[in-house]
Amino acid sequence: MNSLVFFSFTVTLLVSLVLSARYPYQQVLQHSRIRGRQHGPNVCAVQKLIGTNKQYYANCKQWYQRKICGKSTVITYECCPGYERVPGEKGCPAALPLSNIYETLGIVGAATTQLYSDRANLRPEIEGPGSFTIFAPSNEAWAALPAEILDALVSNVNIELLNALRYHMVNRRLLTDELKHGVTFPSMYQNLDIHVHHYPNGIVTVNCARLIKADHHATNGVVHVIDKVITAVTNNIDQVVETEESLDTLRTAIAASGLNTLLENENKQYTLLAPTNEAFEKIPPETLNRILGDPEALKDLLHHHILNNAQCSEAIIAGSSMETLEGTSIEVGCSGDDLTLNGKPIISRKDVLATNGVVHFIDELLIPDAAKTLSELGKDSDVSKAIELFQQAGLGSHLAVNERVTVIAAYNNAFKDGTPTVNRDLTNLLQNHIIKETLSSKYLYHGQILETVGGKKLRVFVYRNALCIENSCIDAHDKKGRYGTLFVVDKLLTPPTGNVMDVLKADNRFSMLVAAIQSAGLTETLNRDGTFTVFAPTDEAFRALPRGDMNKLLGNAKDLSNLLKYHIGDEILVSGAVSQLVRLKSLQGEKLEASSKNATMHVNKVPISEADIMATNGVIHAVTTFLHPPAKTQERGDEMSDTGLEIVKQAPVFSKISQRSARLVPTYSKLMSRVKQ
């Protein structure tokens, strides 16, 4: 008990301390401090990416996953910002000595920036009086610059190097609590803005360079160490597109859709996932021409490539869903050093910063569902086999043009036993999978009638855990295309061909049941409009009854009627609606219990031999044995007599060999004679 109380106290303390920090960076730093406190005061836990020099303060999720961009990390412990170790003492009990910015650069591991400050004659300024912030590139950041750029910086009478360094500076003290998402600060080089983003995961970027050591105080300011050398930004997103030859096709598309104004807007931050010319060339010409010639589809296409905020790649350390202007989301993640979109490493160039956001170049076009035809929507998806059947049946025109329809498409798993051969019957069936209007499943209601291009009227059934059209139940979110919608269902539907009696009479398996229904006087009931679920005993079930018991049933119309009524539910229940126990009131008054086991529907624990034979006034499920109510007996005037109940209970004990015995022939003949009457 004591350990449980201690664990609860620890969790509560951890949460309260983390939440007391106001901004994400401080929250993550506080979490790292708490994780490191067992090693002494002012010790922070740090996640280091194995095989690299990259390290991160760990938030709670990363702490348990121990991964950054899918790569493993190790936990190390080091002094939190502003503290240092003392020989012979635990942790980091001493505050770092407070020096000017120049001296602080050496203390925090930015020796190259310190060296270049001296060479560029910036040292007197950052040693002297004032209040400055410097975003100092790490030693590795300077080393990562291409040799020709670095040579140009340090050889041009130091003026270029001085300008570059002054662009990393702001003429005031800025701590991370002021580095809020989307703010800009004028740099000390021509007042050109520095762009700051502070992300929910605690990562702070400056011109898309990540702060790796923040808030190091100096007597004349503050030092933040960043992982890149940053450059001045002067172009907005639209101007970036205008100046890039590899974005010619995108530029034309943006002009045609009138999006230039949006991408010039300095009052909002965006991320443009910019498809290159190569990306457009990968699209089939007919598809590309259709989209470029359709203003609505083109607008949806381009909006799908624009995120609602500026997203620098350094801030992405795990997958997250990000909303586009088109309204849908894209999964933005990373795998090692690669940035991914929907799991694919298709970004060829990242972090081209603009004054109103950031541009990432991608070599694959992201076509949203809203810009696709139904045929394109279903191709290479989990309903591709159904779409192929529509094409083979000559119904592809309904899926490929601007016809506003809803197509009911079965999952590929529905064809695991093989794709059916396309013939006239299948073509007629598929026509009745195309509804004459564009629908959304969330607006369907119980009892709604849907008209198909094949002329049939389909019913909608709404259950607690299922939404079904006839015997097919919707199994996934709608796929909404440019003009139409795909309903993804669990199986091909079968429209009704007649009422319950019509269907039973047309099926040779139920000839003895039809005779019994007529004998019990239930024909009129099952011919009228209604909502019935019939658990229909097959001839095999009748043959399982001994001849004497069969005669007793036929000789007692009340017993026979009650027995058959118990096999009829008073509402329509299709198999796809039975994911858990469902109780259904029978016409006899007792409850039927429907359930599902191993993908097979059961009633009163009896397996259904064939489910979902649809009728205009109900549904039929075939059973190979008679059903009987639960053992508990109720005093009801319409309940089956003990004789009738006992007949049903004893039926299953007879072997299938005796079922086919010649001694049943007279009984069967008697039933068939009633049919003729």
Side-chain angles (χ1 to χ4, degrees), residues 51 67 70 76-77 79 84 101 155 203 215 221 247 263 275 470 582:
K67 288 184 180 295
T76 62
Y77 298 90
C79 293
E84 66 178 354
I101 286 178
S155 64
I203 289 178
D215 292 341
L247 302 180
L263 298 180
E470 295 299 335
V582 178

Side-chain angles (χ1 to χ4, degrees), residues 103-120:
E103 296 295 336
T104 303
L105 289 172
I107 294 171
V108 299
T112 305
T113 301
Q114 185 185 48
L115 173 66
Y116 288 159
S117 298
D118 196 5
R119 185 176 297 182

Side-chain angles (χ1 to χ4, degrees), residues 378-392:
K379 184 181 179 183
D380 300 325
S381 75
D382 46 16
V383 295
S384 57
K385 292 183 179 179
I387 298 301
E388 181 62 26
L389 283 177
F390 283 109
Q391 301 285 1
Q392 293 177 9

Side-chain angles (χ1 to χ4, degrees), residues 223-347:
V223 176
H224 304 286
V225 181
I226 58 178
D227 68 351
K228 292 185 181 70
V229 178
I230 62 175
T231 56
V233 179
T234 57
N235 287 338
N236 59 42
I237 293 177
D238 189 62
Q239 290 168 331
V240 170
V241 175
E242 285 288 334
T243 57
E244 288 287 343
E245 291 184 6
S246 63
L247 302 180
D248 287 344
T249 307
L250 176 62
R251 181 162 56 251
T252 301
I254 288 173
S257 64
L259 279 181
N260 299 86
T261 302
L262 176 80
L263 298 180
E264 291 171 350
N265 184 4
E266 298 284 353
N267 296 320
K268 187 76 170 66
Q269 293 276 304
Y270 299 110
T271 297
L272 174 63
L273 306 171
T276 61
N277 299 336
E278 180 184 354
F280 281 97
E281 290 167 2
K282 293 178 181 179
I283 303 301
E286 61 275 13
T287 299
L288 184 58
N289 291 335
R290 178 186 62 77
I291 293 175
L292 294 177
D294 180 345
E296 192 67 27
L298 180 58
K299 178 182 175 183
D300 286 335
L301 174 72
L302 294 176
H303 278 188
H304 191 62
H305 287 77
I306 304 174
L307 303 181
N308 273 315
N309 54 58
Q311 188 65 51
C312 296
S313 65
E314 283 294 332
I316 299 169
I317 54 178
S320 61
S321 184
M322 298 187 184
E323 188 179 3
T324 69
L325 287 188
E326 183 252 338
T328 56
S329 295
I330 291 177
E331 185 73 15
V332 181
C334 53
S335 178
D337 291 331
D338 291 327
L339 202 60
T340 62
L341 298 176
N342 296 332
K344 296 181 179 181
I346 60 174
I347 294 183

Side-chain angles (χ1 to χ4, degrees), residues 30 71-72 88 96 122-123 146 180 208 298 312 325 378 384 395 415 465 497 528 570 653 658 668:
Q30 183 72 356
K71 302 298 182 181
S72 297
L96 283 172
L122 182 64
R123 178 175 176 175
K180 298 175 183 178
C208 284
L298 180 58
C312 296
L325 287 188
S384 57
L395 301 174
F415 307 107
N465 296 311
T497 55
R528 70 169 184 250
D570 63 357
V653 305
S658 65
Y668 180 73

